[in-house]
Amino acid sequence: MPFIQVEGIKVHYEEAGSGEPALLIHGWGATLKFWRVMLPPLSARYRCVAIDLPGFGESDKPNVPYTIEWFAGFVGKLLDALGWKKAV
């Protein structure tokens, strides 16, 4: 089970494909498993990384306020950790 560290938070992810980067983010209350059906067709064109957001699935559950603003900032830091300038 692969993980990446982002600001001390362990984030579970799955990766497939090659090409332009695509970050797959699940909705509230879901996990990266939400993307498993879509991963094969998307990975035919993109380098896909599906994540469990912090607080969900196999990722760490930090004691922070889970707000849209916090998640948006976190995703920006995750892109930096992946070495991506942008993603679809």
Side-chain angles (χ1 to χ4, degrees):
M1 195 177 323
F3 291 90
I4 188 169
Q5 288 278 338
V6 180
E7 293 206 331
I9 299 170
K10 189 168 71 170
V11 177
H12 174 230
Y13 72 95
E14 291 184 9
E15 184 172 5
S18 61
E20 188 177 0
L23 185 61
L24 307 178
I25 303 171
H26 60 79
W28 197 260
T31 69
L32 66 75
K33 293 177 185 176
F34 174 83
W35 292 105
R36 288 205 172 138
V37 172
M38 292 303 299
L39 211 48
L42 288 172
S43 66
R45 180 172 177 188
Y46 299 102
R47 176 183 172 201
C48 297
V49 171
I51 65 168
D52 279 335
L53 285 168
F56 298 89
E58 300 299 319
S59 291
D60 284 347
K61 282 115 180 112
N63 186 17
V64 298
Y66 293 132
T67 65
I68 296 300
E69 293 79 15
W70 185 83
F71 282 118
F74 185 85
V75 167
K77 293 169 188 167
L78 175 69
L79 290 175
D80 290 342
L82 290 168
W84 294 0
K85 293 189 186 290
K86 64 178 184 171
V88 296

